[in-house]
């Protein structure tokens, strides 16, 4: 799954005033008053003006072929299981992943830098002296797929539309945008209130730009299967709702030779087939209907990649290093449900997850235990809080668990039996301390209501992991169950927060932006359907720490704020950290070329790989 963003802002009070200025480059290192070819969160750019391409691409990669794959991540209202609309930028409906390939943005991200953007639609940007206004200068050759020019009016129209009616991932980062105006045909000015995080412009600059003409004539929020007018490297080709979509490479794409695009978008056709059943999807890969598969089920990776195409060398199986960014996979306990608001209940439920048994029995030894929402990064808290972290935490001492001010909270280690009696005894005591008393098989509150916990899953392999956890919860008196629902129902219940417990994995980037943090943790996201605050967290302390991260003036400041946030999240257990995998487990039919090494901050195989006709002929796929 991919990282996301949200809503209004709370101005930091005392905590902001005490955030120290540490060493390191700041957003202020992006110069004002002159045209810039790129931006970064802390002013550091690897590529100079006039660069020809990113270092990690193959600029000589041939164009051609078809790439059929199940996307491992998606954004906005997209679903990997089904789709009923091609409108990906509103809340309702299910859109197919990668619709954003049909649209260009003002700037494009470099995948070998943690937070750098370079000009795509915009050839340059100027920052005002107060850093609240940004003038983007559009390339005069930018065109929509119908040949009409893409103008500053399209950009201004799009961002105002997103702010008013867009998916929360698009609307929330724009809350503090005060104006978007076309100064002339090729210059657009974006003005912010001054309350925005310094890096907010980076999120906005990556938003897909829409056609003002098209969406003046067609309702933006309508669920439509007619392909919208785009400008990007791909167009919608053949499509059958809920079954498959093909993106056809635009042969006359205006931006194909830009430095940010050279070596990218090499396939003539990207196809996504939709399967509601994991086994059916795997069978399609084994037959060669699907060409690439990233495997997320440990048992399958260990024991089921033994089919003839593997033995004959037509399918290759290997691991690629994971990105250099935080890993977050955790179980959200929905605090919109009263039974999960007591931290002792959340701790008891966490103690019922026997990771050691699960790793040995269900994961074939794969995966490591997550302790943090920022695993694998400098943002993971270690040791006692630093003086800088304490400066952020102390204003909220009365709200926070005492563990926040000690060594960071750790998930318990079981005896690996699957039913650790000591841990389960501690869980039962926590429930009793929280007012849940035994009444027969279950615990009840003072109104005689059972403590219920339904774990929502969309796949039998996930249910297989949940069931032992649920059995342990039952043993301490929780009326626990696992419910497997189809893809459409799962998506709807997730969007509307209609669940007790749900497992999610996020990519929040090497330099987590305020927009991404806000959608997962901030109070403003808690009551807005479509955000990622699945836990329903509402905490002034967490809000302030998210704000501190958003207003970080250097990478050192960002590390301080996120380590402090990590301490709070680990102590509160709004999200119970579960497990993570260090690498990408990949299998593919041996008919592709790819750059090595892959870049450190992204793994978009569909845009970086290419079709190798020679390899394909050798395996009968030419």
């Amino acid at each position: 799954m991919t990282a996301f963003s949200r809503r209004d802002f709370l101005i930091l009070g005392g905590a902001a005033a005490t955030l120290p200025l540490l060493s390191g480059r700041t957003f202020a290192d992006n110069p004002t008053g002159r045209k810039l070819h790129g931006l970064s969160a802390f002013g550091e750019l690897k590529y100079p003006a006039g660069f020809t391409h990113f270092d990690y691409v193959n600029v000589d990669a041939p164009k051609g072929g078809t790439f059929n794959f199940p996307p491992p991540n998606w954004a906005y209202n997209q679903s990997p299981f089904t789709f009923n609309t091609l409108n990906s930028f509103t809340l309702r409906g299910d859109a197919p992943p990668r619709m954003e390939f049909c649209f260009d943005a003002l700037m494009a991200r470099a995948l070998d830098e943690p937070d750098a953007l370079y000009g795509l639609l915009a050839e340059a940007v100027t920052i005002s002296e107060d850093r609240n206004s940004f003038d983007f200068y559009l390339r005069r050759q930018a065109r929509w797929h119908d040949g009409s020019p893409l103008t500053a009016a399209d950009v201004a129209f799009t961002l105002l539309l997103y702010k008013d009616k867009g998916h929360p991932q698009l609307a929330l980062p724009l809350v503090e945008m005060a104006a978007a105006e076309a100064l002339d045909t090729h210059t657009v000015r974006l003005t912010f209130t001054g309350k925005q995080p310094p890096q907010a412009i980076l999120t906005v600059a990556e938003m897909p730009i829409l056609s003002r003409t098209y969406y003046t004539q067609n309702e933006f929020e309508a669920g439509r299967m007619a392909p919208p007018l785009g400008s990007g490297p791909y167009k919608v080709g053949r499509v059958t709702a809920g079954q498959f979509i093909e993106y056809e490479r635009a042969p006359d794409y205006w931006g194909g030779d830009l430095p940010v695009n050279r070596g990218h978008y090499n396939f003539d056709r990207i196809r996504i087939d939709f399967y509601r059943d994991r086994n059916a999807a795997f069978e399609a890969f084994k037959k060669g209907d699907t060409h690439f598969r990233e495997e997320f089920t440990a048992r399958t990776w260990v024991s089921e990649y033994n089919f003839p195409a593997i033995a004959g060398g037509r399918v290759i199986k290997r691991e690629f290093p994971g990105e250099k960014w935080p890993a977050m996979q955790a179980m959200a306990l929905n605090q919109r449900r009263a039974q999960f608001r007591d931290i002792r209940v959340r701790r008891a439920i966490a103690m019922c997850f026997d990771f050691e048994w699960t790793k040995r029995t269900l994961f074939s030894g794969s995966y490591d235990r997550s302790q943090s929402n920022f695993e694998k990064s400098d943002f993971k808290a270690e040791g006692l809080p630093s003086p800088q972290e304490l400066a952020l935490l102390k204003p909220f001492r009365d709200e926070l668990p005492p563990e926040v001010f000690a060594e960071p909270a750790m998930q318990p280690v079981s005896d690996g039996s699957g039913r650790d009696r000591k841990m389960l005894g501690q869980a039962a005591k926590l429930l009793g301390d929280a007012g849940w008393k035994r009444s027969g098989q279950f615990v009840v509150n003072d109104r005689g209501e059972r403590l219920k916990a339904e774990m929502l899953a969309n796949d039998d392999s996930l249910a297989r992991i949940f069931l032992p956890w649920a059995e342990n919860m039952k043993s301490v008196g929780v009326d626990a169950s696992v419910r497997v629902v189809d893809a459409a129902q799962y998506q709807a219940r997730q969007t509307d927060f209609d669940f007790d417990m749900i497992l999610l994995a996020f990519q929040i980037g090497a330099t987590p932006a305020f927009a991404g943090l806000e959608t997962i943790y901030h109070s403003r996201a808690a009551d807005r359907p479509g955000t990622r605050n699945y836990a329903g967290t509402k905490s002034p302390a967490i809000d302030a720490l998210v704000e501190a991260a958003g207003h970080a003036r250097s990478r050192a400041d960002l590390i301080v704020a996120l380590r402090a946030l990590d301490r709070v999240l680990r102590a509160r257990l709004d999200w119970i950290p579960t497990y993570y995998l260090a690498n990408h487990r990949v299998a593919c039919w041996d008919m592709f070329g790819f750059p090595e090494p892959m870049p450190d901050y992204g793994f978009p195989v569909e845009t970086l790989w290419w079709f190798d006709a020679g390899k394909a002929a050798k395996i009968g796929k030419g």
Side-chain angles (χ1 to χ4, degrees):
M1 306 181 100
T2 324
F4 310 95
S5 34
R6 297 348 179 208
R7 174 169 298 135
D8 281 350
F9 294 25
L10 225 173
I11 302 304
L12 276 171
T18 58
L19 181 62
L21 179 62
L22 301 179
S23 61
R25 296 175 65 87
T26 75
F27 189 78
D29 288 309
N30 291 282
T32 62
R34 62 182 178 88
K35 290 185 177 181
L36 307 174
H37 72 290
L39 295 172
S40 76
F42 302 113
E44 298 171 311
L45 292 174
K46 173 181 176 179
Y47 296 96
F51 77 100
T52 59
H53 59 83
F54 294 135
D55 290 345
Y56 51 85
V57 303
N58 175 10
V59 293
D60 297 319
K63 305 293 186 185
T66 296
F67 187 70
N68 186 321
F69 83 125
N73 48 47
W74 50 93
Y76 314 123
N77 67 350
Q78 297 170 0
S79 168
F81 303 110
T82 187
F83 67 100
N84 50 35
T85 180
L86 296 182
N87 185 354
S88 188
F89 308 122
T90 63
L91 177 60
R92 293 303 173 184
D94 298 316
R98 304 303 183 262
M99 273 301 297
E100 62 273 17
F101 283 4
C102 300
F103 303 89
D104 286 314
L106 290 169
M107 307 187 84
R109 186 168 296 275
L111 300 181
D112 55 351
E113 298 178 81
D115 50 37
L117 300 181
Y118 296 89
L120 200 171
L121 283 172
E123 62 184 358
V125 57
T126 299
I127 306 174
S128 65
E129 291 297 329
D130 64 4
R131 299 186 181 275
N132 292 327
S133 183
F134 302 83
D135 289 353
F136 287 91
Y137 306 92
L138 304 190
R139 300 181 193 272
R140 294 179 182 271
Q141 68 268 36
R143 290 289 185 273
W144 297 105
H145 289 151
D146 65 1
S148 60
L150 191 157
T151 69
D154 292 308
V155 177
F157 170 84
T158 297
L159 298 180
L160 292 172
L161 183 64
Y162 286 159
K163 181 177 179 178
D164 183 34
K165 298 180 179 180
H167 189 281
Q169 294 173 29
L170 297 162
L172 288 176
L174 293 166
V175 167
E176 297 300 336
M177 187 185 73
E181 52 189 328
L183 302 184
D184 57 41
T185 303
H186 297 101
T187 309
V188 62
R189 174 170 293 169
L190 309 182
T191 304
F192 292 80
T193 64
K195 299 177 183 178
Q196 79 283 355
Q199 297 91 345
I201 191 61
L202 302 181
T203 301
V204 176
E206 283 195 279
M207 291 182 177
I209 300 303
L210 309 179
S211 165
R212 180 180 66 164
T213 299
Y214 181 87
Y215 281 106
T216 299
Q217 298 171 355
N218 297 277
E219 182 184 353
F220 173 65
E221 294 179 289
R224 298 173 57 86
M225 285 302 300
L229 178 63
S231 66
Y234 286 93
K235 300 178 179 180
V236 173
R238 295 196 306 152
V239 57
T240 298
Q243 296 183 30
F244 75 90
I245 185 169
E246 292 181 350
Y247 298 102
E248 303 282 353
R249 190 165 60 85
D252 53 352
Y253 173 45
W254 73 271
D257 202 39
L258 294 178
V260 296
N261 285 334
R262 288 190 188 121
H264 293 81
Y265 310 116
N266 301 310
F267 295 110
D268 279 349
R269 183 179 300 104
I270 295 175
R271 179 179 170 115
I272 301 171
D273 291 311
F274 291 77
Y275 299 94
R276 300 193 182 206
D277 179 78
R278 186 190 69 84
N279 291 326
F282 187 49
E283 289 301 317
F285 173 72
K286 289 163 65 174
K287 291 189 298 182
D289 294 340
T290 302
H291 302 144
F292 170 97
R293 180 178 175 86
E294 184 166 358
E295 186 57 65
F296 296 100
T297 303
R299 178 185 59 175
T300 300
W301 183 251
V302 171
S303 63
E304 296 183 34
Y305 282 82
N306 53 9
F307 46 93
I310 289 272
R314 291 182 295 152
V315 169
I316 58 175
K317 175 188 175 189
R318 61 169 288 182
E319 294 191 13
F320 289 87
E323 291 78 14
K324 294 181 178 179
W325 57 33
M328 175 185 174
Q329 180 160 298
M331 180 72 77
L333 278 65
N334 188 355
Q335 293 174 53
R336 301 168 189 86
R337 311 279 168 92
Q339 67 265 36
F340 302 120
R341 291 174 191 159
D342 192 309
I343 191 172
R344 292 168 293 189
V345 171
R346 301 197 295 272
R347 286 176 178 167
I349 289 174
M351 285 185 168
C352 292
F353 177 47
D354 192 328
F355 171 76
E356 286 67 35
W357 180 88
T358 303
K359 178 176 181 177
R360 185 185 76 250
T361 307
L362 302 181
F363 293 163
S364 302
S366 299
Y367 297 105
D368 294 310
R369 182 65 197 266
S370 293
Q371 298 291 346
S372 164
N373 285 19
F374 306 112
E375 206 65 65
K376 300 195 305 178
S377 77
D378 291 338
F379 309 132
K380 180 179 178 180
E382 303 281 358
L384 295 172
S386 68
Q388 293 85 3
E389 291 173 62
L390 288 173
L392 291 174
L393 295 168
K394 282 181 178 178
F396 304 96
R397 184 179 287 274
D398 291 343
E399 175 198 337
L400 296 172
E403 294 89 343
V404 169
F405 298 91
E407 298 274 344
M410 301 290 287
Q411 295 302 302
V413 178
S414 77
D415 62 9
S417 67
R419 212 165 172 86
D420 187 316
R421 298 180 68 176
K422 181 178 179 181
M423 276 176 47
L424 295 177
Q426 293 172 342
K429 183 178 184 305
L430 284 168
L431 294 178
D433 293 343
W436 296 91
K437 306 302 181 185
R438 274 280 186 175
S439 177
Q441 182 180 353
F442 300 106
V443 294
V444 298
N445 60 18
D446 55 9
R447 295 184 297 278
E449 299 166 334
R450 291 180 183 177
L451 173 53
K452 294 185 177 182
E454 180 185 85
M455 308 175 83
L456 190 66
N458 62 355
D459 185 273
D460 287 339
S461 63
L462 197 58
R464 183 168 168 262
I465 298 168
F466 288 171
L467 283 168
W469 194 344
E471 288 301 314
N472 278 343
M473 283 193 275
K474 286 180 182 178
S475 74
V476 298
V478 179
D479 186 2
S481 59
V482 177
R483 180 181 293 272
V484 181
V485 298
D486 65 29
Q489 187 178 358
Y490 186 86
Q491 185 85 357
R493 290 184 63 174
Q494 178 177 297
T495 297
D496 293 333
F497 309 129
D498 182 18
F499 56 83
D500 290 343
M501 300 173 61
I502 192 169
L503 182 70
L504 276 303
F506 295 120
Q507 298 173 355
I508 59 175
T511 304
F514 175 82
L517 297 169
E518 182 189 21
T519 186
I520 303 173
Y521 305 119
H522 203 287
S523 300
R524 288 189 295 270
D527 297 323
R528 183 166 181 170
T531 69
R532 304 298 174 179
N533 189 342
Y534 295 113
T537 303
K538 291 184 177 181
S539 161
I542 289 177
D543 292 347
L545 294 171
V546 168
E547 295 280 352
H551 287 82
R553 294 167 288 176
S554 68
R555 182 166 292 279
D557 286 352
L558 181 65
I559 290 172
V560 167
L562 291 181
R563 285 180 179 174
L565 176 61
D566 188 41
R567 293 179 187 279
V568 174
L569 293 172
R570 291 165 69 173
R572 282 177 49 100
L573 283 178
D574 301 69
W575 296 80
I576 299 172
T578 53
Y579 48 88
Y580 70 94
L581 188 67
N583 298 323
H584 294 279
R585 295 181 298 213
V586 165
C588 67
W589 286 78
D590 191 13
M591 50 195 281
F592 304 112
F594 47 84
E596 290 201 82
M598 294 294 286
D600 289 336
Y601 301 106
F603 191 65
V605 295
E606 66 273 34
T607 64
L608 294 182
W609 289 24
W610 59 90
F611 179 74
D612 187 317
K615 286 184 176 181
K618 289 181 181 178
I619 65 170
K621 288 282 188 178

